[in-house]
Amino acid sequence: MSKVEKILDDGGIKLGGVVSDLNGLSARAMVVGLIEGKSISSLLDMARGRLKLRRDDLQAALDGDLTPRHRFILEHIHEHIATLEHSLAELDAYILAAMAPYQWAHRLLQTIPGIDQIASALILIEIGDDMTRFGSADRIAAWAALCPGNNESAGKRKSARIGKGNSVIRYIMCECANSAWKTKSSIASKYKNLIVRKTHKKAIIALAHKMIRLIFLLLTRKVAYHDPQIDYAAISAKKNAPRWIKQLKVIGQWPNNPSTSPTT
């Protein structure tokens, strides 16, 4: 339980029991509203998305009694969080700016499900863009502490613990794997197959191992990753649709009735 949730609970506000994340847009707006002493009706109007459908639950959760002491502490926690977020944003901007000389590699890694701009930058900071220093996918996996041993004797499997290596890149790759298994991709399918016979932790290690080997291949061959289970055409259409529609309207080819097809 976060400090914010503890303070709210102490004041009889059970917001954490209704929203999934107190750092979400709706919840944060409501916390600010509570600090400012706004009415419950005003707080309910701050709900967004599916949270609007839980108006009765929210009303019951927000019906508490925050004292001036509660509001004072909440305000300082809120300001501290805002300061930390500002610092993180500056760090992220600095890291991304440092990727300018490595743009080809930075973009390439982002084609892998589970790897975003920041993760791609952090990976490149650790491994670089020249894979000749490692020589093979097996070596980079071992260096990243993502290569389990194969200790077997007389048909009996013994310890298969991960060996020593770079704990930083191992952590980054495991975080990427944790994001990748939630996507609709072949990497996520591998996780589903593994979780049947392995624990979540072991399945994540296996995914991270697969992804670091994949990174080695992409950076070596200098080609983007294409997942057979991802509809890239649909993603591109969704991303570019607003721009295309705007252009069609400019040239007069977008119909007044969207249900009809544009004239040619």
Side-chain angles (χ1 to χ4, degrees):
M1 183 182 292
S2 67
K3 289 184 178 179
V4 171
E5 189 171 359
K6 286 181 179 179
I7 298 299
L8 292 175
D9 279 356
D10 191 58
I13 305 294
K14 306 298 180 181
L15 187 59
V18 179
V19 300
S20 58
D21 182 11
L22 282 175
N23 287 319
L25 291 176
S26 297
R28 292 187 66 167
M30 290 177 186
V31 171
V32 172
L34 287 167
I35 293 171
E36 295 173 351
K38 292 187 177 180
S39 65
I40 292 181
S41 60
S42 298
L43 298 175
L44 293 176
D45 291 337
M46 297 175 184
R48 300 185 181 185
R50 295 181 180 178
L51 201 57
K52 291 181 180 179
L53 303 176
R54 305 190 63 185
R55 194 175 180 89
D56 291 341
D57 293 334
L58 277 173
Q59 185 169 0
L62 293 169
D63 188 12
D65 186 22
L66 289 182
T67 65
R69 179 181 65 84
H70 289 132
R71 290 192 174 90
F72 175 82
I73 297 173
L74 283 173
E75 183 176 8
H76 278 269
I77 292 175
H78 181 75
E79 290 176 352
H80 181 60
I81 292 174
T83 300
L84 291 176
E85 288 178 340
H86 180 71
S87 297
L88 287 173
E90 288 184 334
L91 286 172
D92 287 349
Y94 179 82
I95 290 171
L96 293 177
M99 288 294 106
Y102 314 99
Q103 279 301 307
W104 71 271
H106 187 232
R107 292 195 186 98
L108 210 60
L109 296 193
Q110 292 176 60
T111 61
I112 302 175
I115 299 181
D116 60 10
Q117 279 190 321
I118 296 299
S120 176
L122 294 177
I123 291 169
L124 288 172
I125 288 171
E126 291 298 318
I127 70 174
D129 61 352
D130 182 8
M131 294 297 99
T132 58
R133 59 186 293 213
F134 295 105
S136 71
D138 288 338
R139 287 181 179 176
I140 193 172
W143 177 81
L146 289 170
C147 194
N150 184 18
N151 187 3
E152 188 172 311
S153 178
K156 293 183 179 180
R157 186 69 180 269
K158 299 181 181 179
S159 174
R161 289 185 178 179
I162 301 294
K164 294 181 179 180
N166 187 314
S167 59
V168 175
I169 189 63
R170 180 174 183 264
Y171 174 81
I172 295 170
M173 292 311 305
C174 285
E175 286 297 303
C176 291
N178 262 311
S179 296
W181 79 263
K182 300 172 186 176
T183 64
K184 295 179 180 179
S185 64
S186 59
I187 295 178
S189 295
K190 179 178 176 64
Y191 171 85
K192 292 176 183 177
N193 292 332
L194 290 170
I195 202 65
V196 175
R197 60 184 187 277
K198 294 180 181 291
T199 63
H200 172 74
K201 183 177 179 180
K202 289 182 178 180
I204 289 299
I205 293 293
L207 279 195
H209 177 259
K210 175 183 175 66
M211 292 173 73
I212 194 70
R213 293 174 65 90
L214 188 57
I215 287 170
F216 176 86
L217 292 176
L218 296 190
L219 293 179
T220 299
R221 299 172 182 175
K222 297 185 178 181
V223 294
Y225 174 71
H226 289 277
D227 195 291
Q229 294 190 24
I230 295 179
D231 189 345
Y232 289 96
I235 293 174
S236 177
K238 183 177 180 180
K239 179 179 180 181
N240 294 296
R243 179 172 56 85
W244 292 339
I245 292 172
K246 182 179 180 180
Q247 185 61 28
L248 286 171
K249 288 180 177 179
V250 169
I251 63 177
Q253 294 297 307
W254 183 253
N256 293 328
N257 184 359
S259 62
T260 61
S261 300
T263 57
T264 55

